[in-house]
Amino acid sequence: MKRNPFPLGIGAAALALQAIPATDAAAAPRRPNVVFILLDDSGYCDFGCYGQKLIETPNIDGLASRGIRFTDFYAGAPQSAPSRCGLLTGLHNGHTQIRANDELAGRGDIDSFAAMLDDPGLEGQAPLSEGTVTLGTALREAGYRTAMVGKWGLGGPLSGSTPNSMGFDFYYGYLCQRMAQCYYPQFLYRNGSRIYLDNPPMEKGDRLKDGLDPNDPASYADFRGKIYSPDAMYSEIDGFITENAKTPFFLMWTTTIPHSAMQAPEEYVNHYVEKLGDEEASPHHKQYFPCRYPMATYAAMISYLDHQIGQLVQRLKDLGIYENTIIIVTSDNGPAQAYPHSVRFDSAHPFHSDNHYTKRTLQEGGIRMPFIVSWGSRYRGVTSGHIGHFADIMPTLCEMAGRECPQTDGISIWPLLSGRPKLQKEHEFLYWEFPAFKKERGFVAVRMGEWKGLIRGVADGGKHIELYRINEDPLEEHDLSAEHPDIVSAMWDVIRREHTPSDNPLFNTPIDLD
């Protein structure tokens, strides 16, 4: 019998704006477990609790209705590797080791799945330095069992930068983010070893065979395999949680959903085909794989992950540890434009969802993320306007675990999460820089309270700070810099103080500080 992929859940309308109840964290039977769920390229408005009207996310919405839904929380960067680096190390883009994707192209044919199958040396991206303190390191030293399941993207299997060498006791998933662009891979990694899967070979850019009807779903059979990687990864998640139910654990679930390619279980896709109607096929996608229903498949991927999150919650309840487990749901950066799904679903609403405003930019649609924190029944549908970013996670979890925090660019939000909002400190500013030289030509951004400053075209000598009163102008359309030179000057002070050069020319944002 087929499972019901869309069980009834609590939607955004059920959110109640209530004060966070005061709690005594010391009264918990032990330090809380943490499950940090990081989506890949999901926008601010891809969940019902943030306003999505078409994609069904009852389990994520349920976490929000029982948790804290943050409205002003930001990713570490507008692209995968630098955002993950900032998250893991607690540093902003002016200080992080990795500030853009570096695929280390000089090694050979890095874009070929077949070549990487034969040569592991072609896998992976720029690595972290040996001895880097990460969230995994900090929580393991504090006595937590640590795991990451999903995408790594911060070093290949032959580098010194793998999850196991960076603080995680257990790892399962894709080490290389290029390999993660196929949901039916021929192998994944369990710790340091490849686990081969019974899936057929595929290559990005493959086309439908000549003579096949692009409007017939059966024509796309070559782009489905036997083992869907989100299923394989969730099985490992379930096993890790079950095995470690009696000890504090920290699990990072770095899912590849909903990053391209568009591949999802058939019954989920069919649900959205029925809901959304027919659509134009994508039979010859030059970057990824052909897809008969790319819009329906994008929605299906998110709903499939939502279903798995529902399974996770139920497992925690069955094990008797749900009330003592913090669940965080967010995304690494804004939606991508490989397929026009972000426009179809208005994924970054209330920010711009179209190209040049989302992933790989420091517009709000590229960096402001959904951010949900649930902790059993401690909260009752709180909406928080606290301004934060990924660098805050390291000091937050260190304070939770009772561990001294390494130097970071973050501020702990543990007072807010543990029911002591009057003790919560606020950021003076948030800072980003992003080289993005190929198309966008480099960005710098500063958030100071209600104000957002943005510099475009840094690689071409851009120095003008566009100034927006961001919550009144979420589309960043009304530049108020001429009216507030004092705020612009204060933002320049932040930029001069926070920017440090990178040794990697691909990461170096050439800001003119004169």
Side-chain angles (χ1 to χ4, degrees), residues 53-369:
K53 303 300 183 185
L54 297 173
I55 303 172
E56 300 164 30
T57 55
N59 294 296
I60 294 173
D61 299 345
L63 291 176
S65 73
R66 302 183 299 273
I68 306 175
R69 183 180 68 94
F70 287 79
T71 61
D72 289 62
F73 216 92
Y74 290 87
Q79 194 177 42
S80 183
S83 189
R84 292 159 197 270
C85 179
L87 172 62
L88 284 170
T89 61
L91 300 175
H92 64 52
N93 296 146
H95 296 151
T96 49
Q97 299 176 39
I98 296 171
R99 305 184 189 184
N101 286 351
D102 182 355
E103 302 297 339
L104 306 174
R107 293 172 291 174
D109 190 3
I110 62 167
D111 289 320
S112 168
F113 290 155
M116 287 188 281
L117 180 66
D118 292 338
D119 182 2
L122 298 177
E123 294 182 65
Q125 287 66 47
L128 296 170
S129 299
E130 183 178 354
T132 298
V133 177
T134 70
L135 291 172
T137 309
L139 272 293
R140 184 166 67 183
E141 290 178 354
Y144 277 69
R145 284 282 295 169
T146 60
M148 179 183 288
V149 177
K151 186 173 95 171
W152 173 241
L154 297 172
L158 304 186
S159 75
S161 177
T162 63
N164 296 120
S165 65
M166 291 293 164
F168 292 95
D169 297 312
F170 176 78
Y171 175 73
Y172 184 84
Y174 300 90
L175 289 177
C176 176
Q177 62 189 22
R178 284 176 282 101
M179 292 293 298
Q181 294 165 6
C182 176
Y183 285 82
Y184 297 100
Q186 292 186 275
F187 63 88
L188 294 170
Y189 279 89
R190 180 181 289 116
N191 297 323
S193 301
R194 281 184 175 183
I195 304 300
Y196 290 92
L197 307 178
D198 188 14
N199 285 325
M202 304 179 196
E203 285 288 358
K204 288 188 297 180
D206 280 350
R207 303 167 66 91
L208 290 186
K209 293 178 181 177
D210 291 342
L212 292 179
D213 179 2
N215 292 318
D216 182 357
S219 298
Y220 297 80
D222 287 345
F223 304 101
R224 293 189 293 271
K226 294 182 179 180
I227 300 176
Y228 190 51
S229 60
D231 286 340
M233 291 188 287
Y234 183 76
S235 178
E236 299 288 345
I237 287 168
D238 187 81
F240 176 82
I241 289 173
T242 302
E243 181 181 342
N244 292 282
K246 295 183 179 181
T247 186
F249 63 79
F250 171 54
L251 167 66
M252 293 194 73
W253 180 0
T254 55
T255 177
T256 51
I257 289 173
H259 193 294
S260 298
M262 296 293 102
Q263 296 172 313
E266 188 173 8
E267 69 265 33
Y268 280 71
V269 176
N270 290 341
H271 172 85
Y272 280 104
V273 172
E274 293 176 7
K275 179 174 181 174
L276 304 175
D278 198 9
E279 61 178 279
E280 183 178 353
S282 179
H284 307 305
H285 199 285
K286 64 181 180 180
Q287 291 179 279
Y288 300 103
F289 303 118
C291 183
R292 174 60 188 89
Y293 300 108
M295 301 301 106
T297 304
Y298 181 81
M301 291 164 73
I302 293 176
S303 287
Y304 191 75
L305 175 68
D306 182 82
H307 166 73
Q308 292 185 318
I309 290 174
Q311 290 181 300
L312 167 76
V313 169
Q314 188 58 54
R315 174 63 73 198
L316 294 171
K317 290 179 177 179
D318 291 345
L319 293 170
I321 57 176
Y322 172 71
E323 288 294 327
N324 199 41
T325 299
I326 297 171
I327 302 173
I328 300 173
V329 182
T330 188
S331 177
D332 64 347
N333 50 248
Q337 294 294 327
Y339 300 88
H341 48 67
S342 61
V343 175
R344 175 68 176 89
F345 298 108
D346 201 7
S347 291
H349 182 83
F351 318 115
H352 279 297
S353 294
D354 54 340
N355 207 358
H356 305 298
Y357 294 96
T358 51
K359 182 178 179 179
R360 293 186 295 275
T361 81
L362 293 181
Q363 305 274 169
E364 292 294 281
I367 53 175
R368 202 187 304 196
M369 296 293 99

Side-chain angles (χ1 to χ4, degrees), residues 72-74 90 92 385-393 395-396 408-413 424-432 447-450 494:
D72 289 62
F73 216 92
Y74 290 87
H92 64 52
H386 175 80
I387 300 171
H389 63 158
F390 277 6
D392 298 337
I393 305 305
T396 299
T408 72
D409 296 313
I411 291 176
S412 171
I413 60 170
Q424 181 60 56
K425 296 180 180 179
E426 303 290 337
H427 282 281
E428 177 188 352
F429 63 86
L430 303 182
Y431 177 78
W432 300 265
R447 173 84 191 258
M448 298 177 67
E450 64 177 329
V494 169

Side-chain angles (χ1 to χ4, degrees), residues 20 68 70 379 384 386 412-421 424:
I20 302 174
I68 306 175
F70 287 79
Y379 316 125
S384 172
H386 175 80
S412 171
I413 60 170
W414 186 242
L416 181 61
L417 300 186
S418 58
R420 299 166 294 149
Q424 181 60 56

